[in-house]
């Protein structure tokens, strides 16, 4: 059997609901024209305001939907926040948590991210936990220590292996600078070992995505690395053609 991949589009704060609907239609059309690749799961993560519309358009299709954030409390006086059960009710499968933009711009720390992971899993949403080092940390030779700290605190006491990790070096996000396949593989292999330590055999099956300026022309070399099982795609997921070209770049027999 072909190795299984997961390609996720993170639309960030882009696309109104009607623009989102157009993009979904384009993705579906293009994917149908290119044929169904059974070794790849595709997911899109539009903004909250587009989720309902995208979910309706994708109902019954094998393209999954995720959100870009949630708040860990079940309900109550948390103005502006969205809970895991609200997302689950829209038939979502995934939720991106701990993205570096949330950590940096919205000051989310590892403890908050940990609470969000637990809330997502309690509602059977699959969290996509983002981890990654800054340029300073890489240059100070602290990449693996940073990753270990982010993963061990976010997954502290977590026994449910229903999760995805996205390794996103912060210096590579939206900058056009990509980690070389070898640099990325080194970190992915390290993450795989951490997951095996925590989840045993099940840790072997958790997807570890690479994110950070993945594009159609560099996707194949990254995705053929042994411990890279998919991609979290920002900019290139906003254009159907480049997103589907990345899907098409996943290696298969
Ligand atoms: C991201 O924000 O998750 C991301 C990987 O962005 P980009 O692909 O634009 O670098």
């Amino acid at each position: 059997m072909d190795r299984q991949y997961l390609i996720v589009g993170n639309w960030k704060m882009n696309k109104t609901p009607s623009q989102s609907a157009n993009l979904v239609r384009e993705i579906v059309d293009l994917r149908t024209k290119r044929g169904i690749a059974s070794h790849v799961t595709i997911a899109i993560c539009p903004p909250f305001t587009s989720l309902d519309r995208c979910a309706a358009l994708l109902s019954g299709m094998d393209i999954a939907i995720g959100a870009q954030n949630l708040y860990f409390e079940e309900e109550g006086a948390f103005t502006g926040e969205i809970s895991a059960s609200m997302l689950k009710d829209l038939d979502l499968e995934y939720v991106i948590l701990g993205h570096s933009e949330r950590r940096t711009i919205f000051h989310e720390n590892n403890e908050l991210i940990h609470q969000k992971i637990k809330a997502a899993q309690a509602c059977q949403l699959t969290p996509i936990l983002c981890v990654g080092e800054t340029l300073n940390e890489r240059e100070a030779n602290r990449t693996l220590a940073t990753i270990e700290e982010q993963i061990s605190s976010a997954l502290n006491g977590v026994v449910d292996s229903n999760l995805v990790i996205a390794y996103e070096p912060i210096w590579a996000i939206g900058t056009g600078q990509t980690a070389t396949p070898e640099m990325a593989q080194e970190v992915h292999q390290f993450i795989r070992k951490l997951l095996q330590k925590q989840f045993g055999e099940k840790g072997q099956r958790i997807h570890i995505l690479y994110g950070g300026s993945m594009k159609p022309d560099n996707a194949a070399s990254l995705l053929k690395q042994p411990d890279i099982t998919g991609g979290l795609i920002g900019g290139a997921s906003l254009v159907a053609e480049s997103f589907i070209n990345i899907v098409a770049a996943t290696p298969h027999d």
Side-chain angles (χ1 to χ4, degrees):
M1 198 175 104
D2 275 350
R3 191 168 137 193
Q4 294 297 303
Y5 288 89
L6 171 64
I7 302 290
V8 182
N10 172 15
W11 294 6
K12 311 195 187 195
M13 196 176 75
N14 293 292
K15 307 289 177 192
T16 62
S18 40
Q19 289 168 339
S20 299
N22 288 338
L23 181 52
V24 163
R25 286 190 200 99
E26 285 169 20
I27 289 171
V28 169
D29 277 2
L30 212 55
R31 217 273 306 248
T32 311
K33 271 187 207 136
R34 300 277 179 87
I36 318 270
S38 60
H39 67 296
V40 192
T41 300
I42 305 175
I44 55 163
C45 299
F48 286 130
T49 45
S50 297
L51 288 174
D52 199 17
R53 200 140 161 200
C54 292
L57 282 169
L58 290 173
S59 164
M61 293 191 203
D62 60 356
I63 295 181
I65 311 188
Q68 299 172 20
N69 188 24
L70 58 69
Y71 191 58
F72 66 84
E73 294 284 0
E74 183 51 31
E75 60 183 7
F78 305 101
T79 302
E81 296 297 323
I82 305 280
S83 73
S85 58
M86 292 171 182
L87 299 175
K88 191 64 193 176
D89 196 57
L90 291 174
D91 279 338
L92 265 51
E93 278 182 47
Y94 297 96
V95 58
I96 298 172
L97 294 175
H99 191 280
S100 66
E101 286 149 17
R102 302 246 24 121
R103 293 178 190 261
T104 314
I105 306 170
F106 301 100
H107 311 293
E108 292 198 7
N109 60 28
N110 287 328
E111 175 50 30
L112 177 63
I113 294 161
H114 170 62
Q115 304 264 52
K116 292 184 175 197
I117 298 265
K118 287 199 301 187
Q121 288 189 329
C123 278
Q124 281 79 50
L125 284 168
T126 303
I128 301 175
L129 168 65
C130 301
V131 296
E133 81 286 3
T134 62
L135 191 56
N136 279 348
E137 285 162 339
R138 175 158 284 271
E139 285 172 355
N141 221 3
R142 288 199 41 79
T143 299
L144 299 184
T146 301
I147 302 299
E148 182 161 17
E149 156 85 44
Q150 289 171 341
I151 291 186
S152 63
S153 43
L155 299 185
N156 183 19
V158 170
V159 289
D160 187 348
S161 63
N162 175 31
L163 62 108
V164 171
I165 305 284
Y167 167 57
E168 302 207 303
I170 293 171
W171 47 271
I173 297 178
T175 59
Q177 260 187 287
T178 321
T180 63
E182 296 71 27
M183 277 157 99
Q185 166 57 24
E186 185 198 6
V187 180
H188 279 241
Q189 187 179 37
F190 178 72
I191 294 173
R192 177 65 70 208
K193 287 199 180 120
L194 294 177
L195 295 174
Q196 281 168 334
K197 204 163 142 199
Q198 180 151 351
F199 299 102
E201 175 62 24
K202 288 183 178 161
Q204 187 59 37
R205 291 195 289 275
I206 295 173
H207 276 296
I208 310 177
L209 316 181
Y210 170 79
S213 299
M214 193 187 265
K215 310 275 180 224
D217 58 354
N218 60 25
S221 58
L222 287 156
L223 293 167
K224 71 176 188 221
Q225 297 300 313
D227 291 297
I228 302 183
T229 67
L232 181 56
I233 324 296
S237 72
L238 294 172
V239 177
E241 174 128 24
S242 53
F243 186 57
I244 294 301
N245 282 342
I246 292 175
V247 172
T250 48
H252 62 104
D253 298 336

